[in-house]
Amino acid sequence: MLNKPVLVESLIVFVIVLSVHAVVWDRYSWCAVALAVQAFYVQFKWDRLLQQGGAVFQFRTAANSGLLPASMVIPLLGIAMKERCKAAGIVYFERFGIVVASTGMLVALFLSVIAVGITKPVPTNTCILTGVAGSIIIYTMKHSLTVSEVIEVLEVLLIFVYLSMILLYLLPRCFTPGEALLVLGGLSFVLNQLIKRSLNVVEGRGDPIDFFLLVAVVGVVLLGLFFTVLFIFMDSGTWISSMFFHMMTAVLGLGVIMPWLYRLIQRNPLFWLLQFLFQTQTRVYLLAYWTFLAASACGVVFYQNAKRSSESKKHQASTVTRKYFHFIVVATYVPGLIYDRQLLYVAAVLCLAVFIFLEYIRYFRIKPLGQTLRHLLSLFLDERDSGPLILTHIYLLLGMSLPVWLFPRSCAPKGTLSGAGALVPYSGVLAVGVGDTIASVFGSTMGEIKWPGTKKTFEGTMTAIFAQIIAVALILIFDSSVNLNSSYAWILASVSLVSLLEAYTTQIDNLLLPLYLQIMFMT
């Protein structure tokens, strides 16, 4: 029997796909539609595998596979980027958008083929659909990509295969298949870009903050893999292991990551970072303000844990309590978006590296903070943190940061896009910081009419849409660089579709919603 919430979620994704391609219909649109149709059928095979325990790896069980919504994100991002850069006349990034779209389609198709291959008996109709979609995608790639671009797409696919085998084995129950596609697909693309740029360094070419993002993400992931293998052979909870952890972190950071970054930016990374952070008085004020907010967030954690100690019946933080952090993140990102987006870009990268490093300390029980972090963060766990890692706070940071990191600066004259595209950097703030937060708070406290088959409420969704429209109006007032050019109907439609997706998806909404809103705004 088909799951009605999954059908509604799929319908919303199809509407988004068709809406995007109604604006930018070309040869890649046929590929995207074919991919969406086959992903719709294959996701039910994945759902059946998860229910029967027939999947090769252990996935998160409190959600459906999420293959369709995840499969369309990277291809649609690439297509939207291609169109924006084509309109701006930037051929290099137009071709880059085509590579991104092709890579996303091929990785999604690969995940579909795996599900079809391990389903018993073999689903004939789904096999035919997958074959047709694969033929359309490969035919289009053959006539669209150069030889070097085809090699790049295959490199990313190969990295994705190896990363999937390693990380899904090491991190059971941390992802659904769709979340694994998004996270590991993104990591694979970042790693391939870093290798490509490291082998073709041209002095003076490339923005140092882009290199900083690539090296930081790959560096912390490789650090985690190294310590995971190391602690197979030794107990990570002892003082000797903890001292070795800190020593090797310093050695790898100063001996591998720093020289790697030096090769890319052609200057001392520490001096460059300090000069960048304190370059203007505005940046000093922003850093001081963000330090205060970070201290406030820590204060919330300590206060809630103190309440738990005094109220023995209360074991988990409420939805409203967890949304405090969403409000703090909104208060963090909005001034950065208005006054200094480059500083926000770099600060978000640093914060991501710190979050992941602290998660390593918690996971491996590294002294002296490991056990303390385990105790403090256990209060804020929910059903999505069913694996060994706690990822919800990292997903929140990613959801807010990805629209800033993925904003096509080179294709944006005067640093901003026209029409709804001007709101692209605010996609995370609107979708997660405002929409998801307001929907959860109002839905859990005042909502009575539930959407069929879900725990989400009609009142929560409508309030979220209204709140995001008010937020857009405030952005227009306070950010002079935003000029919507009468694209209000498209903005309302985009916000409404993404809010409906929030009501029906069981995937990590902090990661999925900002990306779909960014796609809609970029179209």
Side-chain angles (χ1 to χ4, degrees):
M1 184 177 177
L2 296 180
N3 190 326
K4 288 184 179 179
V6 175
L7 289 176
V8 177
E9 177 192 50
S10 303
L11 177 61
I12 296 168
V13 173
F14 272 113
V15 171
I16 293 174
V17 171
L18 294 176
S19 299
V20 170
H21 290 290
V23 179
V24 293
W25 188 270
D26 57 14
R27 70 175 74 176
Y28 306 101
S29 302
W30 293 108
C31 298
V33 171
L35 180 67
V37 172
Q38 72 85 31
F40 171 74
Y41 279 90
V42 172
Q43 77 174 348
F44 290 106
K45 310 304 175 187
W46 265 114
D47 289 342
R48 188 182 305 166
L49 286 170
L50 296 178
Q51 292 168 5
Q52 297 173 351
V56 177
F57 300 104
Q58 296 182 56
F59 291 99
R60 191 161 64 87
T61 55
N64 66 307
S65 65
L67 188 65
L68 174 58
S71 294
M72 303 313 301
V73 168
I74 300 177
L76 290 179
L77 271 175
I79 291 169
M81 183 184 299
K82 172 186 76 72
E83 290 300 317
R84 283 291 182 174
C85 295
K86 181 179 179 181
I90 312 297
V91 177
Y92 175 82
F93 284 101
E94 179 188 349
R95 300 301 306 175
F96 183 73
I98 294 173
V99 171
V100 171
S102 302
T103 302
M105 291 179 187
L106 206 59
V107 169
L109 193 66
F110 172 78
L111 203 61
S112 298
V113 170
I114 289 179
V116 171
I118 61 179
T119 300
K120 303 298 180 185
V122 176
T124 306
N125 294 337
T126 308
C127 284
I128 294 172
L129 278 173
T130 303
V132 171
S135 300
I136 294 173
I137 292 169
I138 292 172
Y139 178 82
T140 305
M141 288 174 57
K142 178 178 179 293
H143 290 83
S144 304
L145 301 179
T146 63
V147 174
S148 61
E149 289 169 344
V150 170
I151 293 173
E152 184 174 354
V153 171
L154 294 177
E155 287 171 351
V156 177
L157 179 61
L158 185 63
I159 294 171
F160 175 79
V161 172
Y162 281 106
L163 272 182
S164 299
M165 289 191 296
I166 295 171
L167 294 181
L168 292 179
Y169 172 75
L170 294 175
L171 304 174
R173 304 180 308 282
C174 283
F175 309 101
T176 65
E179 292 161 5
L181 172 61
L182 273 181
V183 174
L184 301 183
L187 277 177
S188 303
F189 203 89
V190 166
L191 179 56
N192 184 68
Q193 284 296 306
L194 181 58
I195 294 171
K196 178 183 174 183
R197 297 189 188 194
S198 299
L199 295 175
N200 298 282
V201 175
V202 178
E203 188 172 356
R205 183 175 180 180
D207 194 330
I209 66 173
D210 291 330
F211 293 134
F212 185 63
L213 171 63
L214 295 176
V215 172
V217 170
V218 173
V220 293
V221 171
L222 293 180
L223 197 67
L225 289 175
F226 173 80
F227 285 118
T228 299
V229 174
L230 178 67
F231 289 135
I232 292 175
F233 304 100
M234 57 191 300
D235 183 7
S236 62
T238 65
W239 274 106
I240 294 177
S241 298
S242 299
M243 291 175 62
F244 188 74
F245 173 88
H246 295 300
M247 182 184 69
M248 286 306 300
T249 299
V251 169
L252 293 172
L254 297 175
V256 177
I257 296 174
M258 296 293 285
W260 200 348
L261 188 55
Y262 178 85
R263 170 176 169 77
L264 291 169
I265 67 175
Q266 300 294 310
R267 67 189 84 168
N268 187 297
L270 286 177
F271 291 157
W272 166 80
L273 183 60
L274 289 173
Q275 182 185 9
F276 179 88
L277 292 176
F278 300 101
Q279 191 170 16
T280 65
Q281 195 172 25
T282 302
R283 291 187 175 180
V284 174
Y285 289 150
L286 281 172
L287 289 171
Y289 170 66
W290 290 340
T291 302
F292 168 74
L293 290 177
S296 301
C298 293
V300 171
V301 173
F302 289 124
Y303 174 71
Q304 293 298 326
N305 274 273
K307 284 183 63 178
R308 176 174 63 172
S309 300
S310 60
E311 300 173 13
S312 58
K313 293 182 179 179
K314 185 175 180 180
H315 298 290
Q316 295 297 321
S318 66
T319 299
V320 175
T321 300
R322 286 198 293 268
K323 297 306 176 183
Y324 288 162
F325 299 102
H326 288 234
F327 287 118
I328 291 174
V329 170
V330 170
T332 301
Y333 274 72
V334 170
L337 288 168
I338 293 174
Y339 294 109
D340 198 328
R341 292 182 184 179
Q342 283 200 325
L343 178 65
L344 180 63
Y345 186 114
V346 172
V349 174
L350 287 172
C351 194
L352 177 66
V354 170
F355 274 21
I356 295 176
F357 184 71
L358 289 176
E359 180 57 21
Y360 291 158
I361 291 177
R362 187 205 65 85
Y363 175 63
F364 292 123
R365 306 189 310 280
I366 301 299
K367 295 179 181 297
L369 296 177
Q371 202 60 43
T372 302
L373 286 173
R374 285 194 168 216
H375 173 73
L376 291 174
L377 296 180
S378 63
L379 176 66
F380 301 95
L381 296 179
D382 60 18
E383 69 277 0
R384 294 174 296 183
D385 292 310
S386 57
L389 295 184
I390 300 177
L391 297 173
T392 46
H393 60 298
I394 297 176
Y395 284 139
L396 174 60
L397 178 65
L398 283 174
M400 300 291 288
S401 304
L402 283 173
V404 179
W405 295 340
L406 299 177
F407 180 74
R409 300 189 307 278
S410 302
C411 303
K414 299 180 181 179
T416 184
L417 298 174
S418 59
L423 293 174
V424 165
Y426 289 94
S427 300
V429 171
L430 292 172
V432 175
V434 177
D436 180 47
T437 304
I438 296 299
S440 296
V441 172
F442 278 81
S444 61
T445 56
M446 298 189 300
E448 295 182 359
I449 306 172
K450 294 188 182 296
W451 291 106
T454 76
K455 297 179 181 179
K456 307 295 179 67
T457 64
F458 174 81
E459 293 90 345
T461 302
M462 293 300 106
T463 310
I465 295 172
F466 182 67
Q468 288 175 81
I469 297 303
I470 293 177
V472 170
L474 292 174
I475 290 168
L476 278 172
I477 293 172
F478 291 103
D479 191 344
S480 58
S481 67
V482 175
N483 181 11
L484 300 183
N485 293 336
S486 302
S487 54
Y488 304 108
W490 182 261
I491 292 170
L492 177 60
S494 303
V495 166
S496 301
L497 283 172
V498 172
S499 297
L500 285 172
L501 183 61
E502 186 274 336
Y504 276 94
T505 188
T506 57
Q507 306 304 296
I508 299 292
D509 47 12
N510 289 347
L511 188 62
L512 197 65
L513 302 182
L515 292 173
Y516 269 109
L517 192 59
Q518 178 176 0
I519 289 165
M520 295 293 288
F521 284 162
M522 284 181 65
T523 303

